[in-house]
Amino acid sequence: MYDVAREAGVSQTTVTHVLTGKRPVSAATKERVWDAITRLDFHPNEMARALRRQRSHSVALVLPNIVHALAPVFARHAGVRLREHGFQVTIHETDGDPETAASIVGALASWPVDGAIFSGFALGPDSAEALHRRQIPFVNCGVDDEEVRPWPVVRLDQGEGMRQVLEVLAERTAGAIAYVGGPAGAPGADIRRRAYEREMARLGRPVDERLIASVAYDWRAGRQAARSLLGTGLPFGAVACANDLIAIGVCAELRGRGIAIPDDVAVTGFDNIEPDAMVEPTLTSVETHMDRIAQEGVDLLLAAMGGQEDLAANVLVQPQLVRRASA
Amino acid sequence: MYDVAREAGVSQTTVTHVLTGKRPVSAATKERVWDAITRLDFHPNEMARALRRQRSHSVALVLPNIVHALAPVFARHAGVRLREHGFQVTIHETDGDPETAASIVGALASWPVDGAIFSGFALGPDSAEALHRRQIPFVNCGVDDEEVRPWPVVRLDQGEGMRQVLEVLAERTAGAIAYVGGPAGAPGADIRRRAYEREMARLGRPVDERLIASVAYDWRAGRQAARSLLGTGLPFGAVACANDLIAIGVCAELRGRGIAIPDDVAVTGFDNIEPDAMVEPTLTSVETHMDRIAQEGVDLLLAAMGGQEDLAANVLVQPQLVRRASA
DNA sequence: CTGTTAGCGCGTTCAC
DNA sequence: GTGAACGCGCTAACAG
């Protein structure tokens, strides 16, 4: 910039103001400065700028693992929206480990981002406090429980999703409705399971513990779960699954045994991932609207970075049943 | 840091050297400084550090779209490896638009990253030149053509993948082997199509233009392609697809018409995406080893950032056929 | 409308 | 072993 100023025969101050427009500059000078800028191929150093202005125009996106089914979708929507507002996005993965998450929060103190979005896991209270202490605005998206927290949270109304699922399944069958949940303690597992029990009660359907399985969130585990459900010898007319991968596994196993879906047994998933439309039969699932969650999260963050203090908003995004062939 | 120095009763210089260890500091002083650091919860400002040292310890990851099938896998592996080496990762999406890509390269001049990884598209020569001029080391991963470029490139040996595919299909059937490619000009479409023709020739199989389709890289397009292949009335015993989504669509359509896979028609995909193991029949495909591509790319970049000049390496990663039920 | 000065938070001389 | 002073590249405060 020093060179630009010299080349244009003005002070650095003037160059700055040509760049930022924060002060009127005569057309002639402006012209000469722009000329020098293009001639020297000058680009302002954002790092120095950030240091001086105490704003880096960058936000950290912290999530368990970018490979998880919905993570890229979230990252995409959040990223686009943030970039629209002139923010750069840095990405951090916790690997689902709270300790790693905490250390990332610690590192955030060194890399002065203007804000942070935590997605796909619940922030620990100590981390939240640390961020607060360092005045780093943040939001916590995709939290998989119902706890109310004293910081901004955007979550999906999982109970409502389960309600819609069970409504459809109850229509489909008068028989028992089994449930295959995620592993206890895993994100979303507990809340979805409780929602299942609650909604079953509301529908006046009995819950039989023997028809409830808890397995890993993947496809093989789904097959396995179907086997053990069938192994009980108990009849059932539907299976609600906590996750699409599980549901696809369940379908595969059932079909392998000659059980017709949805006529003999109806099956539902949850999350509405891409393969749902490609498997046979296509899978009825629940759209979790990652786009809206990301949008709400970013909007909240932008507001917080804009100076609005202490808004501990609790946004609840409504899911939507996507009805396909399996139920 | 000023505060830490005062609290410990030393100069800022000493604090720096306690932090960086670039100069011996007496145990007693070190003790007092660490004490002050923890007491004041001090974290060095990486931004200021970067400005001073002219190294930001961050690299830019530029890709078309994080939602694309293999992008998150690449981002994951590259990210982990870069973080292991103390680098932060910023993410940028081109949306497949060369202009956007060029503007990102321009922005990189302002945001002084230590290096950049471009993945999933071929960098333009002008962008490469701009990076060179600004002394920003970079690598270009996942380039989908065979052109030799004067900058570091890591690519998959797509011809070899197609060779493996056709070898299997040729074993399966003595009949015609149809091909469903991606849209002309799309990433990987041309190279895979040419590889198909070349390998067919090597196998002594005739190529019938009427049994070649070019469609979008998605599932619906695959169904459509299968319909038009069947519509020709020409018999064929196998279909090689340029992409798994297309292949899954082809399978769906064939099965819908009562055609047995692989007995009547064998089908193969390409990329080995997750759903391959979940569809019926499971899809034979080609593993593209994004982990290895990412690793090679990062290693190349680390070497370049380490000061090794002008290494215009051309790494070729070998794909591997994953044999499943569809062929 | 423009320039001079000071300083963002550090690391690196060069001195002791 | 330690400290004082300067500067990385830029912007804000204070002049005129």
Side-chain angles (χ1 to χ4, degrees):
Chain A
M1 180 158 123
Y2 173 80
D3 296 321
V4 173
R6 209 167 36 100
E7 182 85 4
V10 295
S11 72
Q12 294 196 32
T13 311
T14 304
V15 176
T16 289
H17 288 111
V18 169
L19 256 4
T20 63
K22 287 197 176 170
R23 186 162 103 168
V25 178
S26 82
T29 327
K30 213 180 286 185
E31 174 83 21
R32 295 214 319 284
V33 171
W34 275 119
D35 212 58
I37 285 176
T38 56
R39 195 162 47 241
L40 297 177
D41 190 30
F42 166 81
H43 292 257
N45 183 324
E46 292 294 337
M47 205 123 246
R49 221 174 227 195
L51 182 59
R52 183 64 239 244
R53 304 212 262 225
Q54 305 288 39
R55 296 213 101 204
S56 60
H57 287 286
S58 71
V59 335
L61 184 56
V62 187
L63 32 77
N65 186 324
I66 189 68
V67 173
H68 277 6
L70 272 35
V73 180
F74 184 91
R76 166 74 184 173
H77 288 285
V80 167
R81 203 168 180 82
L82 284 168
R83 280 192 290 270
E84 272 172 10
H85 288 265
F87 289 93
Q88 180 141 206
V89 180
T90 68
I91 202 155
H92 308 257
E93 295 174 303
T94 66
D95 297 331
D97 174 25
E99 243 178 81
T100 309
S103 90
I104 289 172
V105 168
L108 252 37
S110 277
W111 255 115
V113 292
D114 292 346
I117 298 185
F118 299 83
S119 174
F121 67 106
L123 210 53
D126 40 352
S127 290
E129 212 257 316
L131 289 163
H132 215 119
R133 188 151 21 92
R134 306 193 203 299
Q135 314 249 45
I136 301 175
F138 68 95
V139 292
N140 196 178
C141 294
V143 174
D144 274 324
D145 61 37
E146 288 166 314
E147 225 170 281
V148 174
R149 293 191 172 72
W151 62 79
V153 169
V154 180
R155 52 159 67 83
L156 185 78
D157 189 343
Q158 313 233 19
E160 169 62 15
M162 198 52 80
R163 194 192 65 69
Q164 295 180 14
V165 156
L166 291 177
E167 191 175 275
V168 165
L169 292 181
E171 253 174 49
R172 276 275 183 202
T173 180
I177 301 177
Y179 180 74
V180 182
D190 301 338
I191 188 179
R192 289 181 186 177
R193 158 122 188 214
R194 278 205 308 280
Y196 162 77
E197 290 172 354
R198 188 172 59 231
E199 296 303 327
M200 287 289 275
R202 278 190 1 108
L203 288 165
R205 297 291 188 114
V207 170
D208 185 338
E209 290 288 337
R210 293 166 300 172
L211 287 178
I212 296 184
S214 280
V215 299
Y217 274 141
D218 69 44
W219 174 73
R220 267 167 227 297
R223 293 197 77 129
Q224 179 64 45
R227 270 197 294 278
S228 64
L229 286 179
L230 291 169
T232 63
L234 269 43
F236 54 92
V239 184
C241 303
N243 167 301
D244 288 337
L245 292 176
I246 290 175
I248 291 171
V250 166
C251 287
E253 185 66 26
L254 293 180
R255 279 166 60 88
R257 306 226 183 175
I259 297 171
I261 302 171
D263 294 336
D264 296 339
V265 175
V267 178
T268 56
F270 209 112
D271 284 347
N272 195 30
I273 62 178
E274 222 200 359
D276 291 353
M278 307 187 323
V279 292
E280 181 58 31
T282 57
L283 187 68
T284 291
S285 187
V286 176
E287 166 63 38
T288 54
H289 292 308
M290 289 315 271
D291 53 344
R292 289 208 40 218
I293 296 184
Q295 182 208 312
E296 296 280 0
V298 170
D299 288 352
L300 237 48
L301 185 65
L302 289 172
M305 292 190 304
Q308 287 174 33
E309 280 305 320
D310 275 340
L311 67 180
N314 250 272
V315 177
L316 202 58
V317 170
Q318 292 306 317
Q320 189 176 353
L321 189 80
V322 178
R323 190 111 188 230
R324 296 202 185 86
S326 73
Chain B
M1 179 158 123
Y2 173 79
D3 297 321
V4 174
R6 211 167 34 97
E7 183 84 3
V10 295
S11 72
Q12 295 196 31
T13 312
T14 302
V15 176
T16 291
H17 289 109
V18 168
L19 256 3
T20 63
K22 288 199 175 170
R23 188 163 101 169
V25 177
S26 81
T29 329
K30 214 181 282 184
E31 175 83 22
R32 296 215 319 285
V33 171
W34 274 120
D35 211 59
I37 286 175
T38 55
R39 195 163 46 244
L40 297 177
D41 190 32
F42 168 81
H43 292 255
N45 183 322
E46 292 295 337
M47 207 123 245
R49 217 171 230 199
L51 183 59
R52 181 66 237 244
R53 305 214 260 226
Q54 305 289 38
R55 294 213 103 204
S56 59
H57 287 284
S58 71
V59 334
L61 183 56
V62 187
L63 33 75
N65 187 324
I66 189 68
V67 174
H68 277 5
L70 272 34
V73 181
F74 184 90
R76 166 75 183 171
H77 289 283
V80 167
R81 203 167 179 80
L82 284 168
R83 281 191 290 269
E84 272 172 10
H85 289 265
F87 290 93
Q88 179 141 207
V89 180
T90 67
I91 202 156
H92 307 259
E93 294 174 305
T94 68
D95 298 330
D97 174 25
E99 244 178 80
T100 309
S103 89
I104 290 171
V105 169
L108 251 38
S110 276
W111 205 284
V113 292
D114 292 345
I117 298 185
F118 299 85
S119 175
F121 68 104
L123 209 54
D126 40 349
S127 290
E129 212 257 316
L131 289 164
H132 215 120
R133 187 153 20 92
R134 305 193 206 301
Q135 315 250 46
I136 301 176
F138 68 96
V139 292
N140 197 179
C141 295
V143 174
D144 275 323
D145 61 37
E146 288 164 315
E147 225 170 284
V148 174
R149 294 193 171 71
W151 62 80
V153 169
V154 180
R155 51 157 72 81
L156 185 78
D157 189 344
Q158 314 233 14
E160 169 63 13
M162 198 51 82
R163 194 192 65 68
Q164 296 181 12
V165 156
L166 291 178
E167 191 175 277
V168 163
L169 292 180
E171 252 172 49
R172 275 279 184 200
T173 179
I177 301 176
Y179 180 75
V180 182
D190 301 340
I191 188 180
R192 290 181 185 177
R193 158 122 189 214
R194 279 205 308 280
Y196 162 77
E197 291 172 354
R198 189 172 59 232
E199 295 304 327
M200 287 290 274
R202 278 189 2 108
L203 289 166
R205 297 292 189 112
V207 169
D208 185 336
E209 289 288 337
R210 292 167 300 174
L211 286 179
I212 295 183
S214 281
V215 299
Y217 274 141
D218 68 45
W219 175 74
R220 267 168 226 297
R223 293 198 76 129
Q224 179 64 43
R227 271 197 292 279
S228 63
L229 286 179
L230 292 170
T232 64
L234 268 41
F236 54 91
V239 184
C241 302
N243 166 299
D244 288 336
L245 292 176
I246 290 176
I248 291 171
V250 166
C251 287
E253 186 66 25
L254 294 181
R255 280 166 60 89
R257 305 226 184 172
I259 298 171
I261 302 172
D263 293 335
D264 296 340
V265 175
V267 179
T268 57
F270 209 111
D271 285 347
N272 195 31
I273 62 178
E274 221 199 0
D276 292 354
M278 307 185 324
V279 292
E280 182 56 34
T282 56
L283 187 67
T284 291
S285 187
V286 176
E287 167 63 39
T288 54
H289 292 308
M290 290 315 270
D291 53 345
R292 290 210 37 218
I293 296 185
Q295 182 208 314
E296 297 279 0
V298 171
D299 288 352
L300 239 46
L301 185 65
L302 288 172
M305 293 189 304
Q308 287 174 31
E309 279 306 320
D310 274 342
L311 68 180
N314 250 272
V315 177
L316 203 58
V317 170
Q318 292 307 316
Q320 188 174 354
L321 190 80
V322 178
R323 191 110 189 231
R324 296 202 185 85
S326 73

